[in-house]
mmCIF file of all heavy atoms in Angstrom:
data_model
loop_
_atom_site.group_PDB
_atom_site.id
_atom_site.type_symbol
_atom_site.label_atom_id
_atom_site.label_comp_id
_atom_site.label_asym_id
_atom_site.label_seq_id
_atom_site.Cartn_x
_atom_site.Cartn_y
_atom_site.Cartn_z
ATOM 1 N N VAL A 733 -49.890 8.899 0.856
ATOM 2 C CA VAL A 733 -48.508 8.517 0.553
ATOM 3 C C VAL A 733 -48.497 7.017 0.276
ATOM 4 O O VAL A 733 -48.937 6.223 1.099
ATOM 5 C CB VAL A 733 -47.561 8.872 1.721
ATOM 6 C CG1 VAL A 733 -46.167 8.329 1.481
ATOM 7 C CG2 VAL A 733 -47.526 10.376 1.931
ATOM 8 N N THR A 734 -47.994 6.631 -0.899
ATOM 9 C CA THR A 734 -48.077 5.230 -1.323
ATOM 10 C C THR A 734 -46.798 4.443 -1.112
ATOM 11 O O THR A 734 -46.810 3.226 -1.240
ATOM 12 C CB THR A 734 -48.463 5.151 -2.803
ATOM 13 O OG1 THR A 734 -47.500 5.875 -3.573
ATOM 14 C CG2 THR A 734 -49.845 5.736 -3.046
ATOM 15 N N GLY A 735 -45.689 5.093 -0.833
ATOM 16 C CA GLY A 735 -44.450 4.371 -0.627
ATOM 17 C C GLY A 735 -43.474 5.147 0.227
ATOM 18 O O GLY A 735 -43.507 6.376 0.272
ATOM 19 N N MET A 736 -42.617 4.411 0.913
ATOM 20 C CA MET A 736 -41.594 5.032 1.749
ATOM 21 C C MET A 736 -40.479 4.030 1.987
ATOM 22 O O MET A 736 -40.681 2.824 1.835
ATOM 23 C CB MET A 736 -42.181 5.519 3.070
ATOM 24 C CG MET A 736 -42.720 4.425 3.952
ATOM 25 S SD MET A 736 -43.557 5.030 5.432
ATOM 26 C CE MET A 736 -45.088 5.600 4.745
ATOM 27 N N THR A 737 -39.320 4.530 2.329
ATOM 28 C CA THR A 737 -38.194 3.690 2.694
ATOM 29 C C THR A 737 -37.860 3.976 4.149
ATOM 30 O O THR A 737 -37.760 5.131 4.553
ATOM 31 C CB THR A 737 -36.968 3.988 1.802
ATOM 32 O OG1 THR A 737 -37.327 3.758 0.443
ATOM 33 C CG2 THR A 737 -35.798 3.112 2.183
ATOM 34 N N ILE A 738 -37.700 2.909 4.922
ATOM 35 C CA ILE A 738 -37.410 3.028 6.351
ATOM 36 C C ILE A 738 -36.026 2.439 6.622
ATOM 37 O O ILE A 738 -35.725 1.339 6.175
ATOM 38 C CB ILE A 738 -38.457 2.250 7.188
ATOM 39 C CG1 ILE A 738 -39.879 2.648 6.824
ATOM 40 C CG2 ILE A 738 -38.181 2.386 8.674
ATOM 41 C CD1 ILE A 738 -40.215 4.084 7.059
ATOM 42 N N THR A 739 -35.216 3.185 7.370
ATOM 43 C CA THR A 739 -33.889 2.717 7.741
ATOM 44 C C THR A 739 -33.702 2.894 9.236
ATOM 45 O O THR A 739 -34.062 3.941 9.785
ATOM 46 C CB THR A 739 -32.799 3.540 7.002
ATOM 47 O OG1 THR A 739 -33.085 3.552 5.607
ATOM 48 C CG2 THR A 739 -31.433 2.948 7.223
ATOM 49 N N GLU A 740 -33.157 1.879 9.886
ATOM 50 C CA GLU A 740 -32.809 2.009 11.298
ATOM 51 C C GLU A 740 -31.439 2.680 11.366
ATOM 52 O O GLU A 740 -30.480 2.198 10.762
ATOM 53 C CB GLU A 740 -32.773 0.644 11.975
ATOM 54 C CG GLU A 740 -34.139 -0.004 12.070
ATOM 55 C CD GLU A 740 -34.098 -1.365 12.752
ATOM 56 O OE1 GLU A 740 -33.031 -1.762 13.286
ATOM 57 O OE2 GLU A 740 -35.130 -2.033 12.736
ATOM 58 N N VAL A 741 -31.370 3.805 12.071
ATOM 59 C CA VAL A 741 -30.128 4.573 12.169
ATOM 60 C C VAL A 741 -29.824 4.847 13.637
ATOM 61 O O VAL A 741 -30.668 4.625 14.511
ATOM 62 C CB VAL A 741 -30.219 5.893 11.371
ATOM 63 C CG1 VAL A 741 -30.376 5.617 9.886
ATOM 64 C CG2 VAL A 741 -31.337 6.772 11.875
ATOM 65 N N LYS A 742 -28.629 5.350 13.891
ATOM 66 C CA LYS A 742 -28.243 5.789 15.226
ATOM 67 C C LYS A 742 -27.605 7.158 15.105
ATOM 68 O O LYS A 742 -26.922 7.452 14.127
ATOM 69 C CB LYS A 742 -27.239 4.821 15.857
ATOM 70 C CG LYS A 742 -27.814 3.482 16.189
ATOM 71 C CD LYS A 742 -26.792 2.624 16.880
ATOM 72 C CE LYS A 742 -27.419 1.285 17.226
ATOM 73 N NZ LYS A 742 -26.521 0.464 18.037
ATOM 74 N N GLY A 743 -27.836 7.990 16.088
ATOM 75 C CA GLY A 743 -27.235 9.313 16.064
ATOM 76 C C GLY A 743 -27.580 10.090 17.316
ATOM 77 O O GLY A 743 -28.195 9.567 18.236
ATOM 78 N N PHE A 744 -27.163 11.353 17.327
ATOM 79 C CA PHE A 744 -27.526 12.225 18.431
ATOM 80 C C PHE A 744 -27.542 13.654 17.942
ATOM 81 O O PHE A 744 -26.928 13.996 16.947
ATOM 82 C CB PHE A 744 -26.581 12.076 19.635
ATOM 83 C CG PHE A 744 -25.186 12.544 19.383
ATOM 84 C CD1 PHE A 744 -24.832 13.870 19.587
ATOM 85 C CD2 PHE A 744 -24.216 11.655 18.956
ATOM 86 C CE1 PHE A 744 -23.536 14.299 19.369
ATOM 87 C CE2 PHE A 744 -22.928 12.077 18.728
ATOM 88 C CZ PHE A 744 -22.584 13.398 18.932
ATOM 89 N N GLY A 745 -28.275 14.467 18.643
ATOM 90 C CA GLY A 745 -28.337 15.890 18.371
ATOM 91 C C GLY A 745 -28.024 16.626 19.648
ATOM 92 O O GLY A 745 -27.044 16.340 20.321
ATOM 93 N N ARG A 746 -28.912 17.510 20.021
ATOM 94 C CA ARG A 746 -28.703 18.287 21.246
ATOM 95 C C ARG A 746 -28.706 17.432 22.503
ATOM 96 O O ARG A 746 -28.139 17.803 23.512
ATOM 97 C CB ARG A 746 -29.784 19.357 21.372
ATOM 98 C CG ARG A 746 -29.616 20.446 20.361
ATOM 99 C CD ARG A 746 -30.642 21.513 20.568
ATOM 100 N NE ARG A 746 -30.479 22.553 19.562
ATOM 101 C CZ ARG A 746 -31.390 23.421 19.265
ATOM 102 N NH1 ARG A 746 -32.549 23.415 19.890
ATOM 103 N NH2 ARG A 746 -31.165 24.321 18.344
ATOM 104 N N GLN A 747 -29.365 16.264 22.427
ATOM 105 C CA GLN A 747 -29.463 15.435 23.630
ATOM 106 C C GLN A 747 -28.129 14.804 24.016
ATOM 107 O O GLN A 747 -27.934 14.394 25.145
ATOM 108 C CB GLN A 747 -30.520 14.356 23.438
ATOM 109 C CG GLN A 747 -30.145 13.330 22.389
ATOM 110 C CD GLN A 747 -31.331 12.603 21.839
ATOM 111 O OE1 GLN A 747 -32.334 13.198 21.522
ATOM 112 N NE2 GLN A 747 -31.215 11.309 21.725
ATOM 113 N N ARG A 748 -27.214 14.689 23.055
ATOM 114 C CA ARG A 748 -25.865 14.172 23.313
ATOM 115 C C ARG A 748 -25.848 12.799 23.971
ATOM 116 O O ARG A 748 -25.016 12.510 24.820
ATOM 117 C CB ARG A 748 -25.069 15.142 24.176
ATOM 118 C CG ARG A 748 -24.864 16.472 23.559
ATOM 119 C CD ARG A 748 -23.738 16.400 22.584
ATOM 120 N NE ARG A 748 -23.528 17.731 22.015
ATOM 121 C CZ ARG A 748 -23.101 17.925 20.814
ATOM 122 N NH1 ARG A 748 -22.835 16.909 20.036
ATOM 123 N NH2 ARG A 748 -22.938 19.137 20.355
ATOM 124 N N GLY A 749 -26.773 11.934 23.631
ATOM 125 C CA GLY A 749 -26.790 10.593 24.198
ATOM 126 C C GLY A 749 -27.395 10.579 25.590
ATOM 127 O O GLY A 749 -28.010 11.546 26.030
ATOM 128 N N HIS A 750 -27.208 9.475 26.284
ATOM 129 C CA HIS A 750 -27.713 9.363 27.643
ATOM 130 C C HIS A 750 -26.912 8.321 28.409
ATOM 131 O O HIS A 750 -26.107 7.585 27.835
ATOM 132 C CB HIS A 750 -29.206 9.022 27.646
ATOM 133 C CG HIS A 750 -29.515 7.666 27.099
ATOM 134 N ND1 HIS A 750 -29.660 7.421 25.757
ATOM 135 C CD2 HIS A 750 -29.702 6.475 27.721
ATOM 136 C CE1 HIS A 750 -29.928 6.147 25.572
ATOM 137 N NE2 HIS A 750 -29.949 5.552 26.742
ATOM 138 N N LYS A 751 -27.143 8.260 29.718
ATOM 139 C CA LYS A 751 -26.441 7.298 30.571
ATOM 140 C C LYS A 751 -27.404 6.200 30.981
ATOM 141 O O LYS A 751 -28.579 6.442 31.236
ATOM 142 C CB LYS A 751 -25.888 7.987 31.812
ATOM 143 C CG LYS A 751 -24.791 8.964 31.502
ATOM 144 C CD LYS A 751 -24.272 9.641 32.743
ATOM 145 C CE LYS A 751 -23.201 10.639 32.315
ATOM 146 N NZ LYS A 751 -22.810 11.508 33.386
ATOM 147 N N GLU A 752 -26.880 4.975 31.026
ATOM 148 C CA GLU A 752 -27.645 3.831 31.501
ATOM 149 C C GLU A 752 -26.818 3.103 32.542
ATOM 150 O O GLU A 752 -25.587 3.133 32.508
ATOM 151 C CB GLU A 752 -27.982 2.879 30.354
ATOM 152 C CG GLU A 752 -28.997 3.445 29.380
ATOM 153 C CD GLU A 752 -29.405 2.432 28.327
ATOM 154 O OE1 GLU A 752 -28.935 1.277 28.369
ATOM 155 O OE2 GLU A 752 -30.197 2.811 27.449
ATOM 156 N N ILE A 753 -27.510 2.428 33.451
ATOM 157 C CA ILE A 753 -26.826 1.634 34.461
ATOM 158 C C ILE A 753 -27.158 0.168 34.207
ATOM 159 O O ILE A 753 -28.326 -0.206 34.098
ATOM 160 C CB ILE A 753 -27.256 2.052 35.881
ATOM 161 C CG1 ILE A 753 -26.835 3.504 36.117
ATOM 162 C CG2 ILE A 753 -26.657 1.121 36.919
ATOM 163 C CD1 ILE A 753 -27.275 4.072 37.446
ATOM 164 N N TYR A 754 -26.111 -0.649 34.065
ATOM 165 C CA TYR A 754 -26.280 -2.071 33.818
ATOM 166 C C TYR A 754 -25.421 -2.828 34.807
ATOM 167 O O TYR A 754 -24.199 -2.648 34.844
ATOM 168 C CB TYR A 754 -25.886 -2.414 32.377
ATOM 169 C CG TYR A 754 -26.001 -3.873 32.050
ATOM 170 C CD1 TYR A 754 -27.245 -4.480 31.926
ATOM 171 C CD2 TYR A 754 -24.871 -4.656 31.866
ATOM 172 C CE1 TYR A 754 -27.367 -5.815 31.630
ATOM 173 C CE2 TYR A 754 -24.968 -5.992 31.563
ATOM 174 C CZ TYR A 754 -26.226 -6.572 31.445
ATOM 175 O OH TYR A 754 -26.338 -7.914 31.151
ATOM 176 N N ARG A 755 -26.058 -3.622 35.653
ATOM 177 C CA ARG A 755 -25.370 -4.403 36.695
ATOM 178 C C ARG A 755 -24.444 -3.539 37.547
ATOM 179 O O ARG A 755 -23.304 -3.888 37.816
ATOM 180 C CB ARG A 755 -24.600 -5.561 36.068
ATOM 181 C CG ARG A 755 -25.505 -6.587 35.438
ATOM 182 C CD ARG A 755 -24.759 -7.795 35.012
ATOM 183 N NE ARG A 755 -25.678 -8.769 34.448
ATOM 184 C CZ ARG A 755 -25.337 -9.948 34.040
ATOM 185 N NH1 ARG A 755 -24.081 -10.340 34.126
ATOM 186 N NH2 ARG A 755 -26.225 -10.769 33.539
ATOM 187 N N GLY A 756 -24.949 -2.372 37.882
ATOM 188 C CA GLY A 756 -24.217 -1.487 38.775
ATOM 189 C C GLY A 756 -23.187 -0.597 38.110
ATOM 190 O O GLY A 756 -22.641 0.296 38.758
ATOM 191 N N ALA A 757 -22.908 -0.825 36.846
ATOM 192 C CA ALA A 757 -21.921 0.005 36.143
ATOM 193 C C ALA A 757 -22.658 1.022 35.265
ATOM 194 O O ALA A 757 -23.664 0.702 34.650
ATOM 195 C CB ALA A 757 -21.008 -0.858 35.279
ATOM 196 N N GLU A 758 -22.134 2.228 35.238
ATOM 197 C CA GLU A 758 -22.753 3.281 34.442
ATOM 198 C C GLU A 758 -22.105 3.339 33.065
ATOM 199 O O GLU A 758 -20.892 3.334 32.942
ATOM 200 C CB GLU A 758 -22.588 4.624 35.152
ATOM 201 C CG GLU A 758 -23.350 5.743 34.501
ATOM 202 C CD GLU A 758 -23.263 7.022 35.310
ATOM 203 O OE1 GLU A 758 -24.042 7.182 36.258
ATOM 204 O OE2 GLU A 758 -22.392 7.842 34.965
ATOM 205 N N TYR A 759 -22.943 3.366 32.032
ATOM 206 C CA TYR A 759 -22.473 3.436 30.647
ATOM 207 C C TYR A 759 -23.043 4.674 29.988
ATOM 208 O O TYR A 759 -24.209 5.012 30.177
ATOM 209 C CB TYR A 759 -22.939 2.207 29.852
ATOM 210 C CG TYR A 759 -22.346 0.917 30.332
ATOM 211 C CD1 TYR A 759 -23.009 0.135 31.270
ATOM 212 C CD2 TYR A 759 -21.123 0.473 29.846
ATOM 213 C CE1 TYR A 759 -22.468 -1.053 31.718
ATOM 214 C CE2 TYR A 759 -20.571 -0.716 30.291
ATOM 215 C CZ TYR A 759 -21.252 -1.477 31.226
ATOM 216 O OH TYR A 759 -20.716 -2.651 31.664
ATOM 217 N N HIS A 760 -22.227 5.337 29.194
ATOM 218 C CA HIS A 760 -22.685 6.484 28.425
ATOM 219 C C HIS A 760 -22.996 6.002 27.008
ATOM 220 O O HIS A 760 -22.119 5.469 26.330
ATOM 221 C CB HIS A 760 -21.642 7.599 28.397
ATOM 222 C CG HIS A 760 -22.139 8.833 27.713
ATOM 223 N ND1 HIS A 760 -23.047 9.679 28.316
ATOM 224 C CD2 HIS A 760 -21.899 9.352 26.497
ATOM 225 C CE1 HIS A 760 -23.333 10.663 27.490
ATOM 226 N NE2 HIS A 760 -22.643 10.485 26.371
ATOM 227 N N ILE A 761 -24.229 6.160 26.591
ATOM 228 C CA ILE A 761 -24.667 5.761 25.265
ATOM 229 C C ILE A 761 -24.626 7.005 24.379
ATOM 230 O O ILE A 761 -25.423 7.926 24.554
ATOM 231 C CB ILE A 761 -26.106 5.172 25.296
ATOM 232 C CG1 ILE A 761 -26.241 4.080 26.354
ATOM 233 C CG2 ILE A 761 -26.511 4.687 23.917
ATOM 234 C CD1 ILE A 761 -25.370 2.881 26.139
ATOM 235 N N ASP A 762 -23.674 7.047 23.437
ATOM 236 C CA ASP A 762 -23.507 8.219 22.580
ATOM 237 C C ASP A 762 -24.541 8.291 21.473
ATOM 238 O O ASP A 762 -25.039 9.360 21.156
ATOM 239 C CB ASP A 762 -22.116 8.227 21.941
ATOM 240 C CG ASP A 762 -21.023 8.521 22.951
ATOM 241 O OD1 ASP A 762 -21.290 9.276 23.896
ATOM 242 O OD2 ASP A 762 -19.921 7.986 22.793
ATOM 243 N N PHE A 763 -24.830 7.177 20.848
ATOM 244 C CA PHE A 763 -25.713 7.165 19.687
ATOM 245 C C PHE A 763 -27.047 6.531 20.053
ATOM 246 O O PHE A 763 -27.102 5.393 20.492
ATOM 247 C CB PHE A 763 -25.058 6.422 18.522
ATOM 248 C CG PHE A 763 -23.812 7.102 18.036
ATOM 249 C CD1 PHE A 763 -22.564 6.596 18.346
ATOM 250 C CD2 PHE A 763 -23.896 8.258 17.287
ATOM 251 C CE1 PHE A 763 -21.417 7.226 17.910
ATOM 252 C CE2 PHE A 763 -22.757 8.908 16.846
ATOM 253 C CZ PHE A 763 -21.509 8.384 17.161
ATOM 254 N N ILE A 764 -28.100 7.293 19.836
ATOM 255 C CA ILE A 764 -29.455 6.869 20.183
ATOM 256 C C ILE A 764 -30.103 6.228 18.951
ATOM 257 O O ILE A 764 -30.013 6.785 17.854
ATOM 258 C CB ILE A 764 -30.300 8.090 20.622
ATOM 259 C CG1 ILE A 764 -29.580 8.895 21.691
ATOM 260 C CG2 ILE A 764 -31.686 7.678 21.060
ATOM 261 C CD1 ILE A 764 -29.313 8.154 22.964
ATOM 262 N N PRO A 765 -30.785 5.092 19.104
ATOM 263 C CA PRO A 765 -31.478 4.483 17.958
ATOM 264 C C PRO A 765 -32.611 5.382 17.469
ATOM 265 O O PRO A 765 -33.399 5.891 18.260
ATOM 266 C CB PRO A 765 -32.037 3.174 18.518
ATOM 267 C CG PRO A 765 -31.342 2.946 19.805
ATOM 268 C CD PRO A 765 -30.881 4.277 20.299
ATOM 269 N N LYS A 766 -32.678 5.563 16.163
ATOM 270 C CA LYS A 766 -33.717 6.376 15.519
ATOM 271 C C LYS A 766 -34.178 5.655 14.259
ATOM 272 O O LYS A 766 -33.568 4.685 13.825
ATOM 273 C CB LYS A 766 -33.186 7.762 15.125
ATOM 274 C CG LYS A 766 -32.661 8.601 16.273
ATOM 275 C CD LYS A 766 -33.769 9.133 17.123
ATOM 276 C CE LYS A 766 -33.200 10.012 18.226
ATOM 277 N NZ LYS A 766 -34.221 10.642 19.010
ATOM 278 N N ILE A 767 -35.228 6.170 13.657
ATOM 279 C CA ILE A 767 -35.737 5.670 12.381
ATOM 280 C C ILE A 767 -35.643 6.805 11.368
ATOM 281 O O ILE A 767 -36.040 7.937 11.651
ATOM 282 C CB ILE A 767 -37.208 5.217 12.503
ATOM 283 C CG1 ILE A 767 -37.344 4.036 13.462
ATOM 284 C CG2 ILE A 767 -37.796 4.880 11.133
ATOM 285 C CD1 ILE A 767 -36.701 2.750 12.984
ATOM 286 N N LEU A 768 -35.126 6.504 10.180
ATOM 287 C CA LEU A 768 -35.056 7.467 9.084
ATOM 288 C C LEU A 768 -36.106 7.065 8.046
ATOM 289 O O LEU A 768 -36.061 5.961 7.503
ATOM 290 C CB LEU A 768 -33.665 7.468 8.449
ATOM 291 C CG LEU A 768 -33.490 8.318 7.191
ATOM 292 C CD1 LEU A 768 -33.686 9.797 7.514
ATOM 293 C CD2 LEU A 768 -32.131 8.078 6.570
ATOM 294 N N ILE A 769 -37.056 7.955 7.815
ATOM 295 C CA ILE A 769 -38.089 7.738 6.810
ATOM 296 C C ILE A 769 -37.728 8.590 5.598
ATOM 297 O O ILE A 769 -37.531 9.798 5.733
ATOM 298 C CB ILE A 769 -39.478 8.157 7.325
ATOM 299 C CG1 ILE A 769 -39.839 7.389 8.581
ATOM 300 C CG2 ILE A 769 -40.540 7.970 6.238
ATOM 301 C CD1 ILE A 769 -41.105 7.874 9.258
ATOM 302 N N SER A 770 -37.642 7.962 4.431
ATOM 303 C CA SER A 770 -37.356 8.685 3.189
ATOM 304 C C SER A 770 -38.560 8.597 2.270
ATOM 305 O O SER A 770 -39.081 7.507 2.026
ATOM 306 C CB SER A 770 -36.140 8.085 2.479
ATOM 307 O OG SER A 770 -34.986 8.254 3.248
ATOM 308 N N LEU A 771 -38.979 9.744 1.761
ATOM 309 C CA LEU A 771 -40.127 9.826 0.861
ATOM 310 C C LEU A 771 -39.768 10.718 -0.309
ATOM 311 O O LEU A 771 -39.070 11.708 -0.136
ATOM 312 C CB LEU A 771 -41.330 10.477 1.559
ATOM 313 C CG LEU A 771 -41.765 9.981 2.919
ATOM 314 C CD1 LEU A 771 -42.646 11.012 3.583
ATOM 315 C CD2 LEU A 771 -42.522 8.695 2.752
ATOM 316 N N VAL A 772 -40.251 10.391 -1.501
ATOM 317 C CA VAL A 772 -40.207 11.306 -2.638
ATOM 318 C C VAL A 772 -41.650 11.528 -3.043
ATOM 319 O O VAL A 772 -42.372 10.586 -3.362
ATOM 320 C CB VAL A 772 -39.373 10.750 -3.810
ATOM 321 C CG1 VAL A 772 -39.448 11.682 -5.004
ATOM 322 C CG2 VAL A 772 -37.920 10.554 -3.378
ATOM 323 N N LEU A 773 -42.069 12.798 -2.985
ATOM 324 C CA LEU A 773 -43.476 13.137 -3.191
ATOM 325 C C LEU A 773 -43.630 14.243 -4.221
ATOM 326 O O LEU A 773 -42.735 15.063 -4.412
ATOM 327 C CB LEU A 773 -44.095 13.618 -1.869
ATOM 328 C CG LEU A 773 -44.048 12.655 -0.691
ATOM 329 C CD1 LEU A 773 -44.546 13.338 0.561
ATOM 330 C CD2 LEU A 773 -44.863 11.423 -0.984
ATOM 331 N N THR A 774 -44.805 14.275 -4.835
ATOM 332 C CA THR A 774 -45.145 15.399 -5.699
ATOM 333 C C THR A 774 -45.369 16.620 -4.808
ATOM 334 O O THR A 774 -45.686 16.492 -3.621
ATOM 335 C CB THR A 774 -46.400 15.101 -6.526
ATOM 336 O OG1 THR A 774 -47.462 14.741 -5.640
ATOM 337 C CG2 THR A 774 -46.147 13.952 -7.509
ATOM 338 N N ASP A 775 -45.218 17.794 -5.393
ATOM 339 C CA ASP A 775 -45.269 19.035 -4.619
ATOM 340 C C ASP A 775 -46.575 19.209 -3.842
ATOM 341 O O ASP A 775 -46.576 19.790 -2.754
ATOM 342 C CB ASP A 775 -45.037 20.241 -5.527
ATOM 343 C CG ASP A 775 -43.602 20.301 -6.034
ATOM 344 O OD1 ASP A 775 -42.705 19.774 -5.351
ATOM 345 O OD2 ASP A 775 -43.387 20.882 -7.116
ATOM 346 N N ASP A 776 -47.680 18.700 -4.360
ATOM 347 C CA ASP A 776 -48.969 18.891 -3.689
ATOM 348 C C ASP A 776 -49.092 18.101 -2.388
ATOM 349 O O ASP A 776 -49.913 18.427 -1.540
ATOM 350 C CB ASP A 776 -50.133 18.545 -4.631
ATOM 351 C CG ASP A 776 -50.073 17.109 -5.122
ATOM 352 O OD1 ASP A 776 -48.975 16.636 -5.466
ATOM 353 O OD2 ASP A 776 -51.135 16.463 -5.169
#
């Protein structure tokens, strides 16, 4: 593969985010950081 496009994205699927604790307070993080890789390739 000679080329690709990378994008930093945020989202969620079945995991539905997660909870974090910061300085004693609990926060619900809805969107998880992910990477989107886009490729256009020949069929082979």
Side-chain angles (χ1 to χ4, degrees):
V733 173
T734 57
M736 64 186 75
T737 301
I738 307 299
T739 308
E740 293 180 7
V741 296
K742 292 184 179 187
F744 67 88
R746 289 183 181 162
Q747 67 201 45
R748 299 280 182 211
H750 66 276
K751 293 179 182 169
E752 290 185 2
I753 297 176
Y754 179 71
R755 294 188 178 183
E758 188 175 277
Y759 295 93
H760 185 74
I761 309 298
D762 289 327
F763 296 104
I764 309 298
K766 301 286 182 175
I767 296 293
L768 174 64
I769 302 172
S770 295
L771 310 162
V772 176
L773 302 173
T774 55
D775 291 334
D776 59 318

